[in-house]
Amino acid sequence: MADQCCAGASGKTALDDPRWRRILWIALLINAAMFGVEIVAGVAADSRALQADALDFLGDAANYAISLGVAGMALAWRARAAMVKAVTMLAFGLWVLSSAVWGFVSGSAPHAETMGLIGALALAANVAVALMLYRYRTGDANMRSVWICSRNDAIGNVAVMGAALGVFGTGQSWPDLAVAAIMATLAIWGSIEVFRQARGELATVAAGSAGS
C-alpha cells in the first residue's frame, strides 16, 4: 500500500522511478555544498542559527545517501533506514537546543547582514529541493522522512532570515538563539512523525510475516 501511494502517471512506483534517484542525488549535492557555505558563514558571523542550519544540511546529505542506498530494498529495510534518520533528526534537535541555551548564557550578537544573505541562499536551495520532492511526500516512511527534512529546512531558512532582521533591529543575540530553538523543535517533531510511521510499517511487515 505504501508503495502504491507513490505511483505516478506512468503507474510506476517512486522506488522504480529513475527520477526519484536523480532528485536524491541532486538534493545530496546541494545539501553538501550548502553545509560548507553555511558552516563557514555561521562561524564567521557568530550565528548559532546558521551553524545549526549548516549541521542540518550535513545531516540531510547523509539522509539522502541512506535513502539512495535503500530505495530498491524491501519495505522493512526502508522503514529501518527511516528510523535511523529519525534518531539523527532527534539528535540534531537536542544539540541545537543545548547550543541555544548556552548561547543565552554566553553568546554575543551575530552579524545580521551575513545571516540574511546566507539565509536567503539556503532558502532558495531548500525550496528547490522541496519542490522536486513534493510529488513523493505521501510515500513510505523513508520517502516521507526526506520530504519532512526538506520542508523543515525551508521553514527554518525563513526563520533565519527573520532572526537576521531581529538581530539587525535590536543589536542583540536573542532573535538568533530563538530561531535556533525553533529549528530544534522542528527537528524533534519531525523525528517523532517519521518514527511513528516507520514503526507502523515494521508492525505491518511483522503481521504479514506471521500470517503467511
Side-chain angles (χ1 to χ4, degrees):
M1 290 294 292
D3 291 354
Q4 294 170 359
C5 289
C6 300
S10 64
K12 297 170 64 178
T13 66
L15 298 178
D16 301 323
D17 188 352
R19 184 170 182 265
W20 164 251
R21 292 180 178 271
R22 285 197 300 270
I23 289 172
L24 286 185
W25 274 112
I26 294 170
L28 191 160
L29 294 174
I30 290 175
N31 278 265
M34 284 305 304
F35 163 72
V37 171
E38 273 205 313
I39 196 65
V40 172
V43 171
D46 194 26
S47 168
R48 283 175 171 78
L50 282 182
Q51 293 174 40
D53 202 37
L55 290 178
D56 193 25
F57 272 118
L58 179 62
D60 287 348
N63 286 340
Y64 295 138
I66 293 173
S67 294
L68 282 165
V70 302
M73 295 183 180
L75 177 61
W77 284 106
R78 300 198 309 271
R80 292 187 186 106
M83 293 187 103
V84 171
K85 289 189 282 186
V87 171
T88 62
M89 291 168 69
L90 177 62
F92 161 75
L94 294 175
W95 180 87
V96 172
L97 271 180
S98 62
S99 177
V101 170
W102 175 253
F104 274 115
V105 175
S106 61
S108 57
H111 297 174
E113 294 82 359
T114 301
M115 287 179 62
L117 177 62
I118 301 301
L121 179 62
L123 175 62
N126 279 318
V127 167
V129 171
L131 289 174
M132 288 188 292
L133 292 169
Y134 184 76
R135 66 179 295 185
Y136 302 108
R137 70 193 183 282
T138 57
D140 60 32
N142 183 51
M143 295 176 196
R144 183 166 172 76
S145 69
V146 172
W147 159 251
I148 288 174
C149 284
S150 299
R151 178 201 66 186
N152 287 355
D153 292 346
I155 295 172
N157 295 142
V158 173
V160 169
M161 294 172 67
L165 289 175
V167 170
F168 181 80
T170 65
Q172 299 179 11
S173 64
W174 67 262
D176 178 63
L177 301 176
V179 165
I182 292 172
M183 294 171 66
T185 302
L186 284 172
I188 292 171
W189 180 251
S191 72
I192 294 172
E193 287 186 85
V194 173
F195 182 81
R196 284 176 176 170
Q197 183 170 348
R199 187 174 62 177
E201 289 173 358
L202 287 174
T204 300
V205 171
S209 299
S212 59

